[in-house]
Amino acid sequence: MLFSVAATGFLTGAGLIMAIGTQNAFVLRQGLQRSHVGLVVGICALGDIVLILSGVAGIGTLVHEWPDLLQVLRFGGAAFLAWYGLQAAQRAWKGTGGVMAGQGSEGSRRRILLACLAFTFLNPHVYLDTMVLLGSLSTPYPGRLQWVFAFGACAASVCWFLALGFGARLLQPVFRQPLAWRVLDGCIAVFMLALCALLLLRPLN
């Protein structure tokens, strides 16, 4: 019974987390650059764990019933996505995105940290998916089984970000070509700006 509930939580969490999103695109790029990958993976996984456990604890109901908070996150997230998308477009245009491992500066650690926190906590859909949806899906399970479900969902997040961040290096032979970085940054720019537009134009449910 415990294994079945944990597996359900794992598969449910994986289905939500593995969907292509701005956070995943950011983790992939940092993994390709091998730039502070442990920091990025740790923040993303820990952020998901905190949100999932909060949802199971019932805090997701407060988020769902406080639309003003989601609206603040909506516009703040849209502004951040617009800025990051334009940065990616500039890298794609100039061909300056192909920084490989060991070429980044230590001063970039703070910028990466802030960007990672923004991707993790400025997206209102993250709260709806992790706190509200996963929190709601855990309610049919009685007692400690709710937390077993949450454990499965948290494990999915940790496994996914570890695989995405540290597994990205397997693609490095492809990204030795400057053109590959320009294509990646171009795709990221289009993706970020499209999500920015969706956040502004589509109301949150």
mmCIF file of all heavy atoms in Angstrom, residues 71-85 122-124 192-193 195-201:
data_model
loop_
_atom_site.group_PDB
_atom_site.id
_atom_site.type_symbol
_atom_site.label_atom_id
_atom_site.label_comp_id
_atom_site.label_asym_id
_atom_site.label_seq_id
_atom_site.Cartn_x
_atom_site.Cartn_y
_atom_site.Cartn_z
ATOM 1 N N GLN A 71 -1.945 37.410 -8.668
ATOM 2 C CA GLN A 71 -1.847 38.482 -9.655
ATOM 3 C C GLN A 71 -0.502 39.203 -9.549
ATOM 4 O O GLN A 71 0.095 39.576 -10.566
ATOM 5 C CB GLN A 71 -2.996 39.485 -9.471
ATOM 6 C CG GLN A 71 -4.364 38.929 -9.820
ATOM 7 C CD GLN A 71 -4.428 38.392 -11.243
ATOM 8 O OE1 GLN A 71 -3.888 38.984 -12.176
ATOM 9 N NE2 GLN A 71 -5.078 37.239 -11.419
ATOM 10 N N VAL A 72 -0.031 39.407 -8.325
ATOM 11 C CA VAL A 72 1.295 40.017 -8.139
ATOM 12 C C VAL A 72 2.364 39.132 -8.775
ATOM 13 O O VAL A 72 3.255 39.609 -9.495
ATOM 14 C CB VAL A 72 1.587 40.242 -6.640
ATOM 15 C CG1 VAL A 72 3.042 40.645 -6.427
ATOM 16 C CG2 VAL A 72 0.654 41.306 -6.070
ATOM 17 N N LEU A 73 2.285 37.832 -8.506
ATOM 18 C CA LEU A 73 3.235 36.892 -9.094
ATOM 19 C C LEU A 73 3.090 36.848 -10.612
ATOM 20 O O LEU A 73 4.089 36.718 -11.330
ATOM 21 C CB LEU A 73 3.012 35.489 -8.517
ATOM 22 C CG LEU A 73 3.342 35.324 -7.039
ATOM 23 C CD1 LEU A 73 2.843 33.985 -6.536
ATOM 24 C CD2 LEU A 73 4.842 35.454 -6.808
ATOM 25 N N ARG A 74 1.885 36.985 -11.097
ATOM 26 C CA ARG A 74 1.633 36.951 -12.538
ATOM 27 C C ARG A 74 2.378 38.066 -13.255
ATOM 28 O O ARG A 74 3.108 37.827 -14.221
ATOM 29 C CB ARG A 74 0.132 37.068 -12.777
ATOM 30 C CG ARG A 74 -0.289 37.165 -14.235
ATOM 31 C CD ARG A 74 -1.775 37.467 -14.318
ATOM 32 N NE ARG A 74 -2.226 37.649 -15.668
ATOM 33 C CZ ARG A 74 -3.431 38.109 -15.988
ATOM 34 N NH1 ARG A 74 -4.283 38.444 -15.036
ATOM 35 N NH2 ARG A 74 -3.776 38.242 -17.252
ATOM 36 N N PHE A 75 2.240 39.293 -12.767
ATOM 37 C CA PHE A 75 2.880 40.424 -13.443
ATOM 38 C C PHE A 75 4.377 40.475 -13.164
ATOM 39 O O PHE A 75 5.169 40.833 -14.038
ATOM 40 C CB PHE A 75 2.195 41.735 -13.038
ATOM 41 C CG PHE A 75 0.807 41.871 -13.592
ATOM 42 C CD1 PHE A 75 -0.301 41.762 -12.772
ATOM 43 C CD2 PHE A 75 0.610 42.076 -14.954
ATOM 44 C CE1 PHE A 75 -1.580 41.862 -13.289
ATOM 45 C CE2 PHE A 75 -0.672 42.186 -15.480
ATOM 46 C CZ PHE A 75 -1.772 42.078 -14.648
ATOM 47 N N GLY A 76 4.770 40.104 -11.944
ATOM 48 C CA GLY A 76 6.202 40.039 -11.653
ATOM 49 C C GLY A 76 6.889 38.978 -12.482
ATOM 50 O O GLY A 76 7.977 39.197 -13.022
ATOM 51 N N GLY A 77 6.246 37.818 -12.600
ATOM 52 C CA GLY A 77 6.802 36.745 -13.415
ATOM 53 C C GLY A 77 6.870 37.118 -14.880
ATOM 54 O O GLY A 77 7.842 36.800 -15.571
ATOM 55 N N ALA A 78 5.847 37.800 -15.376
ATOM 56 C CA ALA A 78 5.843 38.223 -16.778
ATOM 57 C C ALA A 78 6.985 39.195 -17.059
ATOM 58 O O ALA A 78 7.656 39.102 -18.095
ATOM 59 C CB ALA A 78 4.498 38.860 -17.125
ATOM 60 N N ALA A 79 7.213 40.124 -16.144
ATOM 61 C CA ALA A 79 8.307 41.081 -16.329
ATOM 62 C C ALA A 79 9.658 40.371 -16.345
ATOM 63 O O ALA A 79 10.530 40.674 -17.170
ATOM 64 C CB ALA A 79 8.276 42.131 -15.207
ATOM 65 N N PHE A 80 9.837 39.403 -15.436
ATOM 66 C CA PHE A 80 11.097 38.667 -15.401
ATOM 67 C C PHE A 80 11.291 37.838 -16.664
ATOM 68 O O PHE A 80 12.385 37.809 -17.242
ATOM 69 C CB PHE A 80 11.130 37.752 -14.179
ATOM 70 C CG PHE A 80 12.330 36.854 -14.139
ATOM 71 C CD1 PHE A 80 13.582 37.350 -13.821
ATOM 72 C CD2 PHE A 80 12.213 35.507 -14.456
ATOM 73 C CE1 PHE A 80 14.698 36.534 -13.807
ATOM 74 C CE2 PHE A 80 13.317 34.681 -14.448
ATOM 75 C CZ PHE A 80 14.563 35.195 -14.124
ATOM 76 N N LEU A 81 10.235 37.183 -17.141
ATOM 77 C CA LEU A 81 10.336 36.377 -18.360
ATOM 78 C C LEU A 81 10.653 37.247 -19.567
ATOM 79 O O LEU A 81 11.416 36.841 -20.455
ATOM 80 C CB LEU A 81 9.038 35.602 -18.590
ATOM 81 C CG LEU A 81 8.750 34.453 -17.628
ATOM 82 C CD1 LEU A 81 7.383 33.853 -17.920
ATOM 83 C CD2 LEU A 81 9.822 33.381 -17.714
ATOM 84 N N ALA A 82 10.076 38.438 -19.622
ATOM 85 C CA ALA A 82 10.365 39.348 -20.728
ATOM 86 C C ALA A 82 11.839 39.742 -20.721
ATOM 87 O O ALA A 82 12.507 39.740 -21.766
ATOM 88 C CB ALA A 82 9.479 40.588 -20.641
ATOM 89 N N TRP A 83 12.352 40.063 -19.525
ATOM 90 C CA TRP A 83 13.763 40.448 -19.419
ATOM 91 C C TRP A 83 14.680 39.293 -19.817
ATOM 92 O O TRP A 83 15.608 39.457 -20.599
ATOM 93 C CB TRP A 83 14.062 40.887 -17.982
ATOM 94 C CG TRP A 83 15.524 41.136 -17.733
ATOM 95 C CD1 TRP A 83 16.232 42.247 -18.048
ATOM 96 C CD2 TRP A 83 16.459 40.219 -17.146
ATOM 97 N NE1 TRP A 83 17.556 42.091 -17.686
ATOM 98 C CE2 TRP A 83 17.722 40.866 -17.130
ATOM 99 C CE3 TRP A 83 16.349 38.932 -16.629
ATOM 100 C CZ2 TRP A 83 18.860 40.246 -16.614
ATOM 101 C CZ3 TRP A 83 17.477 38.328 -16.117
ATOM 102 C CH2 TRP A 83 18.712 38.978 -16.114
ATOM 103 N N TYR A 84 14.403 38.102 -19.288
ATOM 104 C CA TYR A 84 15.263 36.952 -19.586
ATOM 105 C C TYR A 84 15.158 36.564 -21.059
ATOM 106 O O TYR A 84 16.148 36.194 -21.692
ATOM 107 C CB TYR A 84 14.878 35.769 -18.696
ATOM 108 C CG TYR A 84 15.918 34.671 -18.699
ATOM 109 C CD1 TYR A 84 16.986 34.700 -17.809
ATOM 110 C CD2 TYR A 84 15.841 33.603 -19.588
ATOM 111 C CE1 TYR A 84 17.950 33.704 -17.804
ATOM 112 C CE2 TYR A 84 16.794 32.604 -19.593
ATOM 113 C CZ TYR A 84 17.847 32.659 -18.702
ATOM 114 O OH TYR A 84 18.799 31.673 -18.718
ATOM 115 N N GLY A 85 13.944 36.653 -21.631
ATOM 116 C CA GLY A 85 13.760 36.328 -23.035
ATOM 117 C C GLY A 85 14.531 37.273 -23.939
ATOM 118 O O GLY A 85 15.136 36.840 -24.930
ATOM 119 N N LEU A 122 8.488 32.947 -8.968
ATOM 120 C CA LEU A 122 7.721 34.018 -9.591
ATOM 121 C C LEU A 122 6.683 33.521 -10.592
ATOM 122 O O LEU A 122 5.978 34.319 -11.192
ATOM 123 C CB LEU A 122 8.658 35.016 -10.289
ATOM 124 C CG LEU A 122 9.310 36.072 -9.402
ATOM 125 C CD1 LEU A 122 10.140 37.034 -10.238
ATOM 126 C CD2 LEU A 122 8.272 36.844 -8.593
ATOM 127 N N ASN A 123 6.617 32.218 -10.794
ATOM 128 C CA ASN A 123 5.638 31.662 -11.730
ATOM 129 C C ASN A 123 4.388 31.241 -10.951
ATOM 130 O O ASN A 123 4.425 30.285 -10.170
ATOM 131 C CB ASN A 123 6.231 30.457 -12.459
ATOM 132 C CG ASN A 123 5.280 29.878 -13.488
ATOM 133 O OD1 ASN A 123 4.148 30.330 -13.647
ATOM 134 N ND2 ASN A 123 5.735 28.855 -14.178
ATOM 135 N N PRO A 124 3.266 31.934 -11.140
ATOM 136 C CA PRO A 124 2.069 31.578 -10.358
ATOM 137 C C PRO A 124 1.559 30.173 -10.638
ATOM 138 O O PRO A 124 0.937 29.552 -9.777
ATOM 139 C CB PRO A 124 1.040 32.638 -10.801
ATOM 140 C CG PRO A 124 1.535 33.148 -12.110
ATOM 141 C CD PRO A 124 3.032 33.072 -12.041
ATOM 142 N N MET A 192 10.372 31.962 -23.700
ATOM 143 C CA MET A 192 10.174 32.863 -22.571
ATOM 144 C C MET A 192 9.206 33.988 -22.914
ATOM 145 O O MET A 192 8.319 34.336 -22.125
ATOM 146 C CB MET A 192 11.515 33.463 -22.128
ATOM 147 C CG MET A 192 12.539 32.463 -21.645
ATOM 148 S SD MET A 192 12.072 31.669 -20.101
ATOM 149 C CE MET A 192 13.403 30.484 -19.906
ATOM 150 N N LEU A 193 9.367 34.578 -24.093
ATOM 151 C CA LEU A 193 8.501 35.691 -24.477
ATOM 152 C C LEU A 193 7.067 35.212 -24.723
ATOM 153 O O LEU A 193 6.112 35.929 -24.419
ATOM 154 C CB LEU A 193 9.067 36.382 -25.720
ATOM 155 C CG LEU A 193 10.415 37.090 -25.497
ATOM 156 C CD1 LEU A 193 10.975 37.620 -26.815
ATOM 157 C CD2 LEU A 193 10.271 38.236 -24.490
ATOM 158 N N LEU A 195 5.617 32.667 -23.137
ATOM 159 C CA LEU A 195 5.034 32.437 -21.814
ATOM 160 C C LEU A 195 4.724 33.748 -21.115
ATOM 161 O O LEU A 195 3.742 33.857 -20.379
ATOM 162 C CB LEU A 195 5.979 31.599 -20.960
ATOM 163 C CG LEU A 195 6.067 30.123 -21.347
ATOM 164 C CD1 LEU A 195 7.063 29.398 -20.458
ATOM 165 C CD2 LEU A 195 4.716 29.441 -21.239
ATOM 166 N N CYS A 196 5.568 34.763 -21.351
ATOM 167 C CA CYS A 196 5.296 36.100 -20.817
ATOM 168 C C CYS A 196 3.958 36.600 -21.345
ATOM 169 O O CYS A 196 3.116 37.110 -20.586
ATOM 170 C CB CYS A 196 6.426 37.050 -21.203
ATOM 171 S SG CYS A 196 6.071 38.792 -20.847
ATOM 172 N N ALA A 197 3.741 36.464 -22.652
ATOM 173 C CA ALA A 197 2.484 36.906 -23.255
ATOM 174 C C ALA A 197 1.299 36.122 -22.705
ATOM 175 O O ALA A 197 0.227 36.689 -22.422
ATOM 176 C CB ALA A 197 2.555 36.762 -24.777
ATOM 177 N N LEU A 198 1.481 34.805 -22.515
ATOM 178 C CA LEU A 198 0.396 33.983 -21.969
ATOM 179 C C LEU A 198 0.042 34.399 -20.548
ATOM 180 O O LEU A 198 -1.143 34.432 -20.180
ATOM 181 C CB LEU A 198 0.798 32.507 -22.005
ATOM 182 C CG LEU A 198 0.773 31.818 -23.362
ATOM 183 C CD1 LEU A 198 1.299 30.397 -23.252
ATOM 184 C CD2 LEU A 198 -0.649 31.805 -23.921
ATOM 185 N N LEU A 199 1.054 34.710 -19.747
ATOM 186 C CA LEU A 199 0.780 35.156 -18.385
ATOM 187 C C LEU A 199 -0.023 36.448 -18.369
ATOM 188 O O LEU A 199 -0.906 36.643 -17.528
ATOM 189 C CB LEU A 199 2.094 35.371 -17.618
ATOM 190 C CG LEU A 199 2.704 34.179 -16.900
ATOM 191 C CD1 LEU A 199 3.981 34.591 -16.190
ATOM 192 C CD2 LEU A 199 1.731 33.565 -15.911
ATOM 193 N N LEU A 200 0.270 37.352 -19.318
ATOM 194 C CA LEU A 200 -0.411 38.633 -19.363
ATOM 195 C C LEU A 200 -1.812 38.544 -19.958
ATOM 196 O O LEU A 200 -2.729 39.266 -19.550
ATOM 197 C CB LEU A 200 0.417 39.645 -20.154
ATOM 198 C CG LEU A 200 1.756 40.047 -19.524
ATOM 199 C CD1 LEU A 200 2.532 40.943 -20.473
ATOM 200 C CD2 LEU A 200 1.536 40.756 -18.191
ATOM 201 N N LEU A 201 -1.979 37.641 -20.919
ATOM 202 C CA LEU A 201 -3.242 37.598 -21.665
ATOM 203 C C LEU A 201 -4.241 36.584 -21.115
ATOM 204 O O LEU A 201 -5.442 36.742 -21.306
ATOM 205 C CB LEU A 201 -2.952 37.279 -23.142
ATOM 206 C CG LEU A 201 -2.110 38.319 -23.881
ATOM 207 C CD1 LEU A 201 -1.812 37.818 -25.301
ATOM 208 C CD2 LEU A 201 -2.825 39.663 -23.916
#
